[in-house]
């Protein structure tokens, strides 16, 4: 894995302005949530810092990079290529040798849609991105507070909130988000 200053330099060459400010808010939020819930601080920091590495790419470029990198975009990702920014970021970071930790790469890849079987690190990054202090939408305060107490319940709230929003907008829903929600609901009922 690259040194911290090399990661920051690579990130800042791609991500600027409000997106960069968002990244640092996610980093701060993720480190706090990680400490609260026992996640590895080094993994949390790298995943949070690099989670939006591919976000600035336009839709056509995200799709082209996904194909070039050997990813197989599903129909929802082809229709909404912005959903590929996590998987493309993970694949680019691995290709460039900046991040080699598979758990960190998985957390980056799944930070937008979630997935069934999410690890502690994945939950921390997903929620930090969702509740960082710059986020302002209905329900975020409750999920932000819950994330401090119970990651799984906060994650379920975030997934539920996102799915309801997508349905109300009439937008496509990534199957991984539905699978993540169903998996988590079953876990919480055990």
């Amino acid at each position: 894995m690259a040194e911290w200053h090399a990661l920051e330099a690579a990130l800042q060459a791609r991500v600027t302005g409000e997106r960069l400010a968002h990244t640092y808010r996610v980093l701060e939020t993720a480190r706090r949530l990680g400490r609260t819930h026992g996640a590895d601080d080094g993994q949390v920091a790298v995943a949070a810092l690099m989670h939006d590495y591919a976000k600035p790419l336009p839709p056509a470029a995200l799709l082209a990079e996904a194909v070039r990198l050997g990813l197989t975009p599903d129909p929802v990702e082809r229709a909404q290529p912005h959903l590929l920014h996590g998987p493309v970021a993970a694949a680019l970071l691995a290709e460039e040798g900046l991040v080699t930790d598979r758990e960190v790469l998985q957390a980056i890849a799944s930070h937008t849609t979630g997935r069934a079987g999410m690890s502690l690190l994945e939950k921390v990054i997903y929620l930090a991105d969702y509740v960082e202090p710059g986020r302002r939408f209905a329900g975020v305060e409750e999920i932000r507070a819950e994330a401090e107490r119970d990651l799984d319940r906060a994650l379920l709230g975030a997934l539920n909130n996102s799915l309801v929003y997508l349905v109300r907008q009439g937008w496509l829903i990534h199957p991984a988000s539905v699978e993540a929600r169903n998996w988590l609901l079953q876990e919480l009922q055990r």
Side-chain angles (χ1 to χ4, degrees):
M1 186 128 37
E3 295 292 326
W4 186 258
H5 69 277
L7 292 172
E8 280 192 302
L11 176 72
Q12 291 170 10
R14 288 177 166 267
V15 179
T16 59
E18 175 50 33
R19 179 60 47 193
L20 186 61
H22 158 78
T23 296
Y24 283 103
R25 290 191 302 267
V26 170
L27 174 61
E28 182 180 324
T29 302
R31 292 186 93 170
R32 187 183 69 254
L33 288 175
R35 283 191 297 272
T36 298
H37 298 289
D40 180 274
D41 189 60
Q43 288 181 314
V44 166
V46 172
L49 183 71
M50 304 309 283
H51 81 281
D52 274 352
Y53 189 64
K55 184 81 172 184
L57 293 174
L62 275 169
L63 200 48
E65 277 294 89
V67 171
R68 183 189 71 77
L69 292 161
L71 303 174
T72 307
D74 70 17
V76 174
E77 292 165 338
R78 287 189 179 281
Q80 297 181 358
H82 68 276
L83 293 172
L84 288 165
H85 80 272
V88 167
L92 282 172
L93 290 163
E95 179 183 70
E96 295 168 11
L98 290 169
V99 178
T100 55
D101 184 319
R102 293 204 179 279
E103 291 178 54
V104 170
L105 292 169
Q106 181 60 62
I108 292 167
S110 67
H111 84 269
T112 302
T113 61
R115 69 179 187 95
M118 290 172 77
S119 69
L120 173 61
L121 177 61
E122 287 174 278
K123 293 172 187 178
V124 166
I125 300 305
Y126 183 99
L127 281 167
D129 185 40
Y130 195 84
V131 304
E132 62 93 345
R135 300 290 197 196
R136 302 274 186 262
F137 53 84
V140 72
E141 290 299 332
E142 293 81 6
I143 296 167
R144 192 175 282 142
E146 188 66 42
E148 298 294 335
R149 295 184 298 268
D150 187 326
L151 273 186
D152 287 345
R153 294 207 179 279
L155 181 57
L156 182 61
L159 288 163
N160 285 340
N161 201 31
S162 294
L163 293 172
V164 167
Y165 176 79
L166 292 169
V167 167
R168 286 188 176 148
Q169 296 299 312
W171 293 347
L172 296 173
I173 297 173
H174 197 288
S177 297
V178 175
E179 291 166 6
R181 189 242 180 214
N182 290 342
W183 163 76
L184 188 57
L185 194 56
Q186 289 175 322
E187 290 294 308
L188 287 169
Q189 290 172 350
R190 286 188 183 160

